[in-house]
Amino acid sequence: MALLQISEPGESPDPHQLKRAVGIDLGTTHALIATVRSGVAQCLSDHEGDVLLPSAVQYHKDFSVSVGRQVLERRVIDPLNCLVSFKRWMGRGYHDIDRSTSPYRFMAREGLATIETAAGPKTPVEMSAEVLRTLAQRAEESLSGELDGAVITVPAYFDDAQRQATKDAATLAGIKVLRLLNEPTAAAIAYGLDQGEEGLFLVYDLGGGTFDVSLLRFSRGVFEVLATGGDSALGGDDFDARIVSFWLEEAGLSMQTLGPAERHQWLMLAKQAKEKLTDIDAVAMQSPIGLKHIDRSTFETITKPLLDKTLLALRRALRDASVEPADLHAAILVGGSTRMPQIRQALEASLSCPVYAHLNPDEVVAIGAALQASLLLGQRTANDDWLLLDVIPLSLGIETMGGLIEKIIPRNTTIPVSRAQEFTTYKDGQTAMALHVVQGERELVSDCRSLARFELRGLPPLAAGAARIRVNFQVDADGLLSVSAQELSSGVHASTIVKPSYGLGDDAITRMLRDGVDHANLDMQLRALKEQQVDAERMLLAVEAALSADACLLSTEEQHAIRCAMDHLRSIALQHDHHAIRNAIHALSHQTDHFAALRMNRAVSLALSGRRVDELAS
């Protein structure tokens, strides 16, 4: 007798048909891969039982590649080809990275930060691809087949270039990306589903090379990100470097005096010392110049500026979300660097809520990503009735006349999102429009970041202001942007997928937000000035065109009066008083009222000339 297998709605009827979905935490120090088995998310281990894969790549002269722990063991022997912490250079240009403490041989190739190796020039994208490829092989062996898709996590404060670089690395590794997921959000998913708690959560994520803080609300199965902040170039590596600087200064040395192998050796010693200080009060390490000491009190003192930077970002995120510390249900610690005792102590002193650290901070991001990947591939279980709402970190907009920004999608807007706005032409007969897409919080283009430029051509040659150009911004679930523009009367269309050139400075996003607050009043004044200057120029162009066509309608005295008002407006427009410019515009408008009436009468007379009344009535 044939048997029927019955399953609940939404569940796979055949366990052998389950899709192989994985979550990947591509960390600065370590990378992990996780999957969901029998409704439980778990990290996958290598043949030796280790779930952590060091994010380390070695290139050999025979063009072979090594990945993982063995590379760390060879750093002192082959320092120029054993590469670590390259996540910090993802989406960065040659001139935008700090090379002073790095042992590697950097070079510029097509604007990218590139490193010379025994196998030729390599980019951080290629290095990350090697790590991803190794993780994928581990998962395919464990799951007995090719992967159907992966959710890859990124720092919440990764900009478009860094996110695109991460996607490029996955493509090189042959991995289908289901979604790029912010690391704090992934951690909140893991905690939220593990605890079944609801309320406002703060996620404090300090990894090896990046820092993120996010505010999330979990309610009735919905994860909603309210605000995000951080620093994509701040992490445990910087704490290590402070220890090295402390030791070297004691000996009258500096990092710049060290060779590549020595730099690796000092940083490895500092990392070991930092980890030991988690459990004991003082350590002594055998260095190349003798025994070096450091106690926890000294360590906390020399690294306090780094900790303070994270707390500043935390307070800014609370303010952006209009949340008080007393409103928080709990704070969640994520990332191996949060094991430092001063981190928890600082949060407990700053916040009036529990601080959660009971899930492994190294594994929690990968576990959350695996849960999201399983859900995206339709593998729901009874506890998977939840929805994720993430946000973008910085406002997106378009340049308008006068170098101003019209913000179309504000920062902390939930994604995916689509927003549109209509614009028009500036000059009569304009048949093309250049569109400049920008990102940032200031009012002027010069203070923000350029993302992309494209042109809309073939516009009908209408009078200034008559054309209707609809510009549409779309941000997908990965936080990546596409922009389209269409002239509504003719249907002329142009679009671009914003794939920004790599090269935003490490502190640029934090600076953009800080400047947006610090210069808010000045920016509004400058915007008002620019807007009045644009209106003045538009008014002058319109009056000049009218005089060229119909000056014969005016007496010599009337023409002179209008010319004087135009000259006055031109001189006032060069000044920095937007009130004076507005008054001069009104004065010129008043001076030309009679001229406008004469032109209207003439146009009407010409239109009616030679026509009978019955023709007009029909």
Side-chain angles (χ1 to χ4, degrees), residues 6 73 151 452 483 503 506 525 562:
I6 301 174
E73 298 169 355
V151 167
V483 182
D506 290 336
Q525 294 174 14
I562 291 176

Side-chain angles (χ1 to χ4, degrees), residues 346-463:
L347 291 181
E348 289 176 341
S350 303
L351 307 173
S352 54
C353 65
V355 178
Y356 288 169
H358 52 272
L359 292 183
N360 188 322
D362 287 321
E363 299 181 7
V364 65
V365 169
I367 288 173
L371 291 167
Q372 174 72 356
S374 180
L375 190 66
L376 290 176
L377 285 181
Q379 298 177 175
R380 292 177 178 270
T381 66
N383 296 322
D384 280 344
D385 189 17
W386 52 277
L387 175 68
L388 173 61
L389 302 174
D390 220 330
V391 299
I392 60 171
L394 284 173
S395 300
L396 297 163
I398 198 163
E399 180 180 358
T400 58
M401 289 302 301
L404 300 173
I405 292 177
E406 185 67 25
K407 294 175 184 175
I408 295 180
I409 302 181
R411 67 188 177 97
N412 287 329
T413 296
T414 301
I415 58 174
V417 63
S418 179
R419 296 273 177 88
Q421 193 163 324
E422 287 189 13
F423 297 87
T424 189
T425 50
Y426 180 72
K427 295 183 178 180
D428 291 340
Q430 188 172 336
T431 59
M433 176 180 284
L435 295 109
H436 183 197
V437 183
V438 291
Q439 183 178 38
E441 301 310 313
R442 301 290 298 277
E443 295 295 328
L444 303 183
V445 169
S446 57
D447 296 320
C448 294
R449 183 193 180 197
S450 173
L451 289 183
R453 298 176 185 268
F454 67 107
E455 293 184 348
L456 179 64
R457 294 189 170 274
L459 301 177
L462 303 175

Side-chain angles (χ1 to χ4, degrees), residues 70-360:
Q70 57 185 317
V71 178
L72 298 181
E73 298 169 355
R74 300 172 186 157
R75 287 175 66 188
V76 177
I77 301 173
D78 190 14
L80 297 179
N81 295 300
C82 293
L83 305 163
V84 297
S85 296
F86 40 80
K87 179 178 178 177
R88 307 187 81 169
W89 309 319
M90 292 284 278
R92 293 290 181 253
Y94 173 78
H95 297 290
D96 299 302
I97 58 176
D98 180 10
R99 302 182 297 278
S100 62
T101 60
S102 175
Y104 306 119
R105 299 168 296 185
F106 285 92
M107 58 181 292
R109 188 177 68 171
E110 298 178 354
L112 300 180
T114 307
I115 296 176
E116 294 184 42
T117 74
K122 298 295 179 181
T123 66
V125 171
E126 294 170 287
M127 301 166 201
S128 297
E130 296 295 347
V131 175
L132 290 172
R133 189 176 291 113
T134 301
L135 289 174
Q137 291 171 353
R138 176 188 298 184
E140 288 170 354
E141 291 177 7
S142 179
L143 301 177
S144 302
E146 293 185 2
L147 301 181
D148 292 295
V151 167
I152 301 178
T153 62
V154 293
Y157 239 43
F158 257 22
D159 60 51
D160 277 16
Q162 292 166 304
R163 291 171 188 269
Q164 188 62 58
T166 304
K167 255 195 165 179
D168 291 344
T171 300
L172 283 176
I175 297 174
K176 177 184 177 182
V177 178
L178 300 173
R179 180 172 182 177
L180 296 180
L181 181 63
N182 288 343
E183 290 167 3
T185 308
I189 289 173
Y191 267 98
L193 295 182
D194 177 68
Q195 297 296 306
E197 299 181 28
E198 296 190 350
L200 283 171
F201 292 85
L202 181 143
V203 182
Y204 181 102
D205 182 358
L206 184 62
T210 60
F211 168 69
D212 284 304
V213 59
S214 293
L215 266 296
L216 300 96
R217 178 183 288 115
F218 181 37
S219 176
R220 297 182 181 180
V222 177
F223 288 89
E224 181 182 7
V225 182
L226 304 180
T228 190
D231 190 329
S232 61
L234 172 62
D237 290 351
D238 299 283
F239 287 77
D240 301 341
R242 289 294 172 96
I243 296 177
V244 174
S245 296
F246 171 73
W247 281 339
L248 292 177
E249 286 172 7
E250 282 187 329
L253 302 173
S254 69
M255 187 76 81
Q256 286 70 26
T257 64
L258 304 179
E262 292 174 307
R263 290 188 187 185
H264 276 307
Q265 191 171 2
W266 277 102
L267 288 170
M268 290 168 63
L269 287 173
K271 180 179 175 63
Q272 293 169 13
K274 176 188 70 178
E275 293 172 350
K276 290 182 177 181
L277 288 174
T278 299
D279 301 311
I280 57 179
D281 293 329
V283 295
M285 307 296 294
Q286 186 61 51
S287 78
I289 58 174
L291 204 61
K292 304 302 295 182
H293 300 265
I294 188 168
D295 56 48
R296 184 183 292 176
S297 176
T298 300
F299 172 64
E300 292 179 356
T301 299
I302 64 176
T303 58
K304 187 177 184 298
L306 300 176
L307 177 58
D308 289 344
K309 287 180 70 174
T310 71
L311 297 178
L312 178 62
L314 184 155
R315 290 191 292 270
R316 186 178 292 122
L318 288 171
R319 185 187 61 215
D320 288 346
S322 300
V323 170
E324 296 295 330
D327 299 330
L328 295 174
H329 181 81
I332 298 171
L333 296 184
V334 182
S337 296
T338 59
R339 290 189 173 95
M340 292 183 287
Q342 66 262 42
I343 300 294
R344 182 160 189 160
Q345 293 167 5
L347 291 181
E348 289 176 341
S350 303
L351 307 173
S352 54
C353 65
V355 178
Y356 288 169
H358 52 272
L359 292 183
N360 188 322

